[in-house]
Amino acid sequence: MKRHPSLHPLSQHHHFALIQALEMRRAAEAPADKRNAMVERQADKFVAFWHKTGAVHFREEEEVLLPAYARHTRLDQDAGITRLLADHAEIRAAVQDLERRREKKIPIEAEAMARLAKLLHDHVRFEENDVFPRIEHALGEENLEAMGRGLTRLHSKTDVCDI
């Protein structure tokens, strides 16, 4: 779907999140003899990604995108926004769990990584396919452009995800 240019930074973040979800799923489904090492490496990569990109992305959605949308609709009456915020909390909790396990040198379970990968993938697809189109429609051109100036492009168009 063609996204309004003001939302390109968020969609770009989503692209890199989908790469992370794919890599987490692959690690969780790796052959048994390689799985633990791959899951541990991917946990480190995802936590680094989170601190470089994910946390900023969530803040921008919660502090820029949703307040702009709130000027046009009651957020507490929008089940999609409730799900978006619940997903954010669940993903943050999963990151905290990964960090705690890494800190205490407790192995990461492949099943936990697979659940996080699915949650992240489904969350991105939900925002792109459901939430963003509704916000684009509600805000209109002028409001989208004003809101878009508050978003951060974390990578240039020629960058590749280095995490």
Side-chain angles (χ1 to χ4, degrees), residues 82-158:
T82 301
R83 175 181 166 187
L84 178 151
L85 293 170
D87 285 355
H88 282 195
E90 192 172 348
I91 292 166
R92 282 185 174 110
V95 171
Q96 291 169 358
D97 290 345
L98 287 177
E99 290 176 321
R100 182 184 53 78
R101 286 179 158 286
R102 302 303 291 142
E103 187 177 290
K104 293 183 176 187
K105 301 193 184 322
I106 300 171
I108 309 297
E109 297 171 355
E111 296 80 17
M113 178 152 288
R115 279 192 305 275
L116 176 55
K118 181 172 178 16
L119 174 62
L120 186 61
H121 174 273
D122 292 352
H123 174 73
V124 166
R125 292 296 181 206
F126 175 69
E127 284 187 357
E128 288 289 337
N129 296 330
D130 183 87
V131 175
F132 283 8
R134 287 188 294 113
I135 290 175
E136 286 174 326
H137 179 74
L139 265 60
E141 186 69 29
E142 184 177 324
N143 292 319
L144 280 166
E145 287 179 15
M147 184 264 322
R149 289 189 285 275
L151 300 176
T152 304
R153 183 174 294 279
L154 297 175
H155 306 281
S156 74
K157 289 187 183 252
T158 59

Side-chain angles (χ1 to χ4, degrees), residues 32 49-50 64 100 121:
F49 166 81
W50 172 259
V64 178
R100 182 184 53 78
H121 174 273

Side-chain angles (χ1 to χ4, degrees), residues 33-59:
D33 62 326
K34 297 178 182 179
R35 185 175 307 136
N36 290 343
M38 290 179 70
V39 165
E40 296 297 326
R41 262 193 318 275
Q42 192 55 44
D44 289 341
K45 287 177 68 175
F46 181 71
V47 168
F49 166 81
W50 172 259
H51 288 291
K52 181 177 180 181
T53 304
V56 171
H57 174 82
F58 279 17
R59 275 196 321 273

